[in-house]
Amino acid sequence: QVQLVESGGGLVQAGGSLRLSCAASGRTFSSYAMGWFRQAPGKEREFVADITWSGGSTYYADSVKGRFTISRDNAQNTVHLQMNSLTPEDTAVYYCAAGASPRLLRLREVFYWGQGTQVTVSS
């Protein structure tokens, strides 16, 4: 069993930056691929980024490529999402997720979800 707790959300002006963190409990954290998803009001939850268990490979949605960076620290059981050049379109609840592989995460085959953290970008 893995519990995921996100933090770091908040209100930021357009063009600003935020760093989200996801803290995981459990000794098996390093065996999971990790990802970030987001859900804006009235929209479906969408994939944002993922990272392999080792951190050696990452993948991003086109909408965030070049602006967001996902990273992980297996010694600290954490995964981060650095978000730069934020726009109002990035406003959403951001969720951390754990899965068997990045490909399965993108197919919404998620083992564990966090509770989400709100990101609001003002224009």
Side-chain angles (χ1 to χ4, degrees), residues 7-115:
S7 61
L11 174 65
V12 64
Q13 288 189 329
S17 298
L18 280 175
R19 179 177 169 87
L20 304 183
S21 296
C22 173
S25 66
R27 292 176 291 179
T28 58
F29 171 78
S30 62
S31 65
Y32 293 105
M34 298 297 298
W36 287 93
F37 292 75
R38 65 186 182 185
Q39 187 166 17
K43 294 188 177 181
E44 292 187 354
R45 191 170 298 189
E46 65 173 359
F47 167 81
V48 174
D50 62 42
I51 188 166
T52 54
W53 67 270
S54 67
S57 180
T58 58
Y59 186 86
Y60 300 91
D62 287 343
S63 58
V64 306
K65 199 175 296 182
R67 299 188 299 123
F68 290 11
T69 302
I70 188 171
S71 62
R72 69 189 295 164
D73 183 341
N74 286 340
Q76 298 293 325
N77 279 15
T78 56
V79 61
H80 303 285
L81 186 68
Q82 177 67 42
M83 306 186 296
N84 298 329
S85 302
L86 286 162
T87 74
E89 288 68 38
D90 295 315
T91 294
V93 177
Y94 283 71
Y95 296 91
C96 177
S101 73
R103 181 182 66 84
L104 290 175
L105 281 175
R106 288 171 228 153
L107 294 174
R108 307 297 192 269
E109 295 290 336
V110 174
F111 289 158
Y112 305 103
W113 290 101
Q115 84 290 349

